[in-house]
Amino acid sequence: MESRNAPRWGSLNSSYFVGAASSFLSTVLTFPIYKTIFRQQLHTLTIRAATCQLGKEGVRHLFRGLAPPLMAKTVQGTLLFGTQGSLQHFFSKGGTPGAKSRAFSGCLSGAIEAVLLVPFERIQNILQDGRNNAKFPNTRTIMQEFQTYNKREWLTCGMYRGFTVILVRNMIGSAIFLSCKEPLRDLLTYPGLPAWAPSLGAGAVNGAFTSLTLYPLSVIIANMQAEVGSNLPQVKKVALRVWEKCGGKVSLVYRGASLIILRSCITWGVTNSIHDTLSK
């Protein structure tokens, strides 16, 4: 397994390179699904209503906002698989990593992701909200808006809005995914199956479970980050507003969860399969 050896920069089977390549490909394939989910989270819409909303905006707006997540997910894959390999190698002292070292390295890699990738997610969520199409047609106009903020506003309402929630989500999510990644793959390995199939299945199941578990945090993040202004409500008020918008029903909080499962199955199944195939 790739985690038994320290990753090497510049080699084709480097966990850093493989993580970047697999995440890049899966992001392009699943972006329309993600955008539909985002609209559901933001406006509490049904799948049909969210799809119709995107259809009315036209094909030219379908991939609007792709650049930030494409860069972010590529960096995320590099960090998730690359730092996980390095950290596991360090904590296990070159031996076979145990459950604790996988979980701890996952938490650390998730924290690093949060610090580096929050600005990408912030810009992506602003661009994906149709209400911002006129005022913020591109990334440059968003950056110009944030430049008018003072230092405190730049952190709380600008580029790092929602950082605390994202930090918690990423640390827990990375710990779960990386802890279960290899055990699930080994469990699904049967004689006669193609080499990529167990990794595809393990990534799909693992990604769907992780995303579904953390879905309420993602809803709060989407609502926080789509807003633009220098005096915005913080986490507790946004969470309360989301709860009230959903009429106090957990079922409405989880509206869009079916697409989350579909997207996560595809995204992490493809990512995991490509990663494990290229790592060999």
Side-chain angles (χ1 to χ4, degrees), residues 190-212:
Y190 293 98
L193 281 177
W196 51 265
S199 295
L200 181 68
V205 173
N206 200 2
F209 172 77
T210 303
S211 297
L212 192 60

Side-chain angles (χ1 to χ4, degrees), residues 120-156:
F120 289 99
E121 189 166 357
R122 172 67 160 142
I123 293 172
Q124 172 190 349
N125 285 336
I126 293 173
L127 290 175
Q128 287 186 149
D129 185 354
R131 295 172 298 183
N132 295 323
N133 285 352
K135 187 175 181 180
F136 301 108
N138 50 49
T139 301
R140 181 177 58 82
T141 55
I142 297 171
M143 297 301 296
Q144 288 174 343
E145 168 72 17
F146 290 161
Q147 286 173 3
T148 65
Y149 298 174
N150 59 41
K151 290 183 178 180
R152 182 177 178 279
E153 291 171 342
W154 192 85
L155 289 172
T156 59

Side-chain angles (χ1 to χ4, degrees), residues 72-131:
K73 292 297 183 181
T74 301
V75 174
Q76 181 189 37
T78 304
L79 293 173
L80 179 66
F81 294 109
T83 57
Q84 178 238 0
S86 297
L87 290 169
Q88 278 191 181
H89 181 78
F90 175 78
F91 291 125
S92 62
K93 303 185 187 307
T96 302
K100 288 184 179 180
S101 65
R102 286 197 295 265
F104 191 55
S105 63
C107 281
L108 288 180
S109 63
I112 294 171
E113 287 174 37
V115 172
L116 296 178
L117 301 182
V118 169
F120 289 99
E121 189 166 357
R122 172 67 160 142
I123 293 172
Q124 172 190 349
N125 285 336
I126 293 173
L127 290 175
Q128 287 186 149
D129 185 354
R131 295 172 298 183

Side-chain angles (χ1 to χ4, degrees), residues 160-181:
Y160 275 83
R161 177 161 173 77
F163 173 72
T164 304
V165 188
I166 293 174
L167 180 65
V168 172
R169 182 198 63 185
N170 284 13
M171 290 181 69
I172 295 175
S174 295
I176 293 174
F177 185 83
L178 294 176
S179 295
C180 300
K181 177 178 179 290

